[in-house]
Amino acid sequence: MNYTLVADLIGLDRIINSDPVAITFFIGYMAMLASSVFFLVERGSVDGKWKLSLLVSGLITGIAAVHYYYMRDFYLQTGTSPTAFRYVDWTLTVPLMCVEFYLLTKPFGAKGGTLFKLIVASLVMLITGYIGETSGIDSNIMWGVISTLGYLYIVYEVFAGDIAKLSKDSNSPALGRAMFLLKIFITLGWSIYPIGYMVLPGNLLSGAFEVSSIDLFYNIADAINKIGFGLVIYSVAIAESNKTAKA
Ligand SMILES: *C/C=C(C)/C=C/C=C(C)/C=C/C1=C(C)CCCC1(C)C
């Protein structure tokens, strides 16, 4: 294959021209793919009850890898944000992150109803966010505010609602450690998304950044939140499995 063909295939021409947004799509794709392989292979190193959590981590980064493959291409072809792909990805992966919270607390009595509430809140957050991103300059602040209510509900559940109560009553140091880190992810890590959204024309940060930097925010946030979230669960799973092996 000649150089231009290869460059075209992977979007290297744009990357060589140092478009930071294109670079993060490319790195995001590779990092998600590598993480999936890691989580799926490492399922073999943890105890039975953790295997499902690691499978879900692998699915989250795997679904993201496929979407990044298409999003990178879409961005290189059109120079615009792959908004629809982005929201399809999130609509699959954010509920799976809610499943991770459920799986962590299930041994201590989590009910399906808790999972249901988290998933409904995440769908409210994402559907209204999508409407806001596509509805134009006049109403994206309003939809962003509604979306934020869904987000805050998830934060509430984890900090003070069912998930918080279950992990407190569990008396499990491993769960306590995981929850401490996951709380940092859903407050600091997830808050990068609404900041990115505010770059949209007509919103609070428009003008401070180029419009395309919305994808820079989202790509960095996805890498932190999807891969980091999975690594937290992995580290707790490994620590707990080693403990049972010794006992
Ligand atoms: C893997 C993908 C994740 C963890 C995506 C998370 C997305 C959010 C927390 C998005 C939140 C938004 C708001 C809180 C308001 C503005 C619209 C959104 C959808 C960007």
Side-chain angles (χ1 to χ4, degrees):
M1 269 192 275
N2 64 30
Y3 166 75
T4 39
L5 188 54
V6 175
D8 257 15
L9 274 176
I10 64 172
L12 204 62
D13 47 349
R14 186 81 68 93
I15 290 169
I16 286 168
N17 291 332
S18 70
D19 174 344
V21 179
I23 292 172
T24 57
F25 273 117
F26 189 76
I27 296 175
Y29 169 51
M30 287 301 161
M32 296 290 178
L33 192 66
S35 306
S36 295
V37 173
F38 177 78
F39 293 135
L40 295 179
V41 169
E42 283 299 309
R43 277 183 79 234
S45 322
V46 300
D47 279 354
K49 65 170 181 169
W50 293 102
K51 288 191 195 299
L52 190 56
S53 301
L54 260 68
L55 173 65
V56 175
S57 297
L59 286 176
I60 290 170
T61 49
I63 290 169
V66 174
H67 284 85
Y68 268 81
Y69 178 80
Y70 288 107
M71 290 199 287
R72 180 196 52 94
D73 206 40
F74 182 98
Y75 177 78
L76 289 173
Q77 301 289 334
T78 67
T80 61
S81 291
T83 309
F85 284 123
R86 178 80 74 188
Y87 276 83
V88 173
D89 172 340
W90 290 354
T91 307
L92 296 168
T93 52
V94 176
L96 284 174
M97 294 172 116
C98 299
V99 170
E100 296 277 35
F101 278 114
Y102 171 71
L103 289 176
L104 282 171
T105 46
K106 192 162 165 259
F108 309 103
K111 301 264 180 332
T114 303
L115 175 60
F116 182 74
K117 285 190 277 185
L118 289 173
I119 291 180
V120 169
S122 59
L123 291 178
V124 168
M125 174 179 92
L126 295 172
I127 292 168
T128 55
Y130 181 73
I131 298 172
E133 285 206 30
T134 50
S135 66
I137 225 161
D138 294 326
S139 52
N140 70 34
I141 293 185
M142 180 193 77
W143 288 111
V145 170
I146 300 173
S147 172
T148 303
L149 296 177
Y151 170 47
L152 291 178
Y153 181 78
I154 301 174
V155 172
Y156 161 78
E157 276 296 337
V158 173
F159 275 79
D162 297 350
I163 299 283
K165 290 188 194 105
L166 288 166
S167 62
K168 196 155 159 253
D169 296 343
S170 74
N171 288 322
S172 155
L175 181 59
R177 246 188 356 262
M179 289 304 294
F180 172 76
L181 292 168
L182 294 181
K183 279 178 186 168
I184 297 177
F185 277 100
I186 72 159
T187 47
L188 294 181
W190 286 27
S191 69
I192 302 170
Y193 298 99
I195 296 171
Y197 179 92
M198 285 191 265
V199 168
L200 285 174
N203 214 311
L204 307 178
L205 294 178
S206 73
F209 296 90
E210 280 178 54
V211 184
S212 68
S213 48
I214 193 171
D215 287 298
L216 205 56
F217 281 99
Y218 289 168
N219 291 352
I220 291 169
D222 273 355
I224 294 174
N225 291 303
K226 291 182 166 64
I227 300 171
F229 210 86
L231 285 175
V232 166
I233 289 165
Y234 168 74
S235 66
V236 175
I238 284 284
E240 287 297 287
S241 304
N242 289 344
K243 228 186 262 165
T244 23
K246 273 191 209 114

